[in-house]
């Protein structure tokens, strides 16, 4: 079970690594070399934006896509040159980031579907609500190694409760 401090630490480290990456041409080049070594296409890392909550999903998705090159970069002696050696992410934190990205993906997919402009979306609201709620309930039940009393499970349960509250208000 990962504590609240570890959750914050993993997301904080991720953001700090990305900020340093965005500020350093040397670090961008080093990550590109690591990507080439892993035969991955070098891609930009995104930083999430507070007012655009789906950006946390896209940030984590890209960060995790480049997990092997990032792990390698963090382990190199050059990591101190980029001031990231102290931001090493342990296995539990990588697992947490993956689980969090999975949970964020539930919201992301539905938001994209409901944000369409070229076709009507109103008829999708209730089915998508049911799908989202089901995915969230399943996430809490499976625990994903985070434990039933973890901050992530608590946050998911709070989300379920809020969705239930909205549904109750919408009944005429």
């Amino acid at each position: 079970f990962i504590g609240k401090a570890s959750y914050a630490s993993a997301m904080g480290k991720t953001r700090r690594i990305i900020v340093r990456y965005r500020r350093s041409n040397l670090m961008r080049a080093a990550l590109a070399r690591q990507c080439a070594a892993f035969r991955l296409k070098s891609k930009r890392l995104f930083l999430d934006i507070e007012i655009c909550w789906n950006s946390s999903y896209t940030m984590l998705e890209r960060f995790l896509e480049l997990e092997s090159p990032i792990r390698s970069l963090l382990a190199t002696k050059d990591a101190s040159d980029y001031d990231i050696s102290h931001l090493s992410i342990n296995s539990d934190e990588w697992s947490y980031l993956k689980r969090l990205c999975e949970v964020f993906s539930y919201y992301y997919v539905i938001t994209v579907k409901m944000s369409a402009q070229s076709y009507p979306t109103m008829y999708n609201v209730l089915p998508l609500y049911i799908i989202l709620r089901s995915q969230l309930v399943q996430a809490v039940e499976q625990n994903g190694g985070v434990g039933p009393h973890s901050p992530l499970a608590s946050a998911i349960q709070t989300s379920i409760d809020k969705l239930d509250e909205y549904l109750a208000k919408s009944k005429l």
Side-chain angles (χ1 to χ4, degrees):
F1 154 64
I2 298 173
K4 194 178 223 176
S6 294
Y7 289 145
S9 174
M11 284 298 286
K13 287 177 183 178
T14 299
R15 288 183 181 112
R16 287 192 301 276
I17 289 167
I18 294 170
V19 165
R20 293 222 169 69
Y21 161 86
R22 291 169 59 121
R23 290 182 180 165
S24 170
N25 290 333
L26 290 174
M27 187 174 165
R28 281 194 300 277
L31 183 58
R33 285 191 300 276
Q34 292 296 334
C35 287
F38 283 94
R39 297 180 184 202
L40 294 172
K41 182 178 178 183
S42 181
K43 297 180 179 178
R44 267 188 51 209
L45 295 176
F46 303 119
L47 186 62
D48 60 348
I49 303 166
E50 201 172 309
I51 58 171
C52 184
W53 62 271
N54 270 337
S55 67
S56 294
Y57 169 72
T58 56
M59 175 187 77
L60 287 176
E61 182 184 45
R62 178 61 55 86
F63 195 79
L64 293 169
E65 184 180 339
L66 300 177
E67 176 183 355
S68 295
I70 291 170
R71 278 183 185 249
S72 184
L73 181 65
L74 290 169
T76 65
K77 62 179 177 53
D78 297 332
S80 60
D81 293 343
Y82 318 121
D83 195 25
I84 59 168
S85 55
H86 65 287
L87 297 175
S88 179
I89 298 174
N90 65 40
S91 294
D92 287 340
E93 290 170 327
W94 280 107
S95 295
Y96 165 71
L97 292 172
K98 290 173 186 173
R99 186 69 179 130
L100 187 58
C101 187
E102 179 186 341
V103 171
F104 284 171
S105 74
Y106 305 148
Y107 296 97
Y108 181 81
V109 169
I110 288 176
T111 301
V112 169
K113 286 181 182 178
M114 295 306 299
S115 299
Q117 293 182 4
S118 60
Y119 56 87
T121 59
M122 190 62 182
Y123 68 93
N124 282 327
V125 172
L126 189 56
L128 290 174
Y129 163 86
I130 292 167
I131 291 168
L132 176 60
R133 189 182 186 291
S134 172
Q135 289 173 324
L136 294 173
V137 167
Q138 186 176 7
V140 170
E141 288 172 356
Q142 289 179 346
N143 298 327
V146 298
H149 303 294
S150 72
L152 180 56
S154 297
I156 294 170
Q157 187 59 54
T158 300
S159 181
I160 293 168
D161 295 343
K162 186 54 86 172
L163 288 171
D164 289 344
E165 179 185 323
Y166 289 153
L167 182 63
K169 285 181 181 180
S170 68
K171 292 186 178 179
L172 301 175

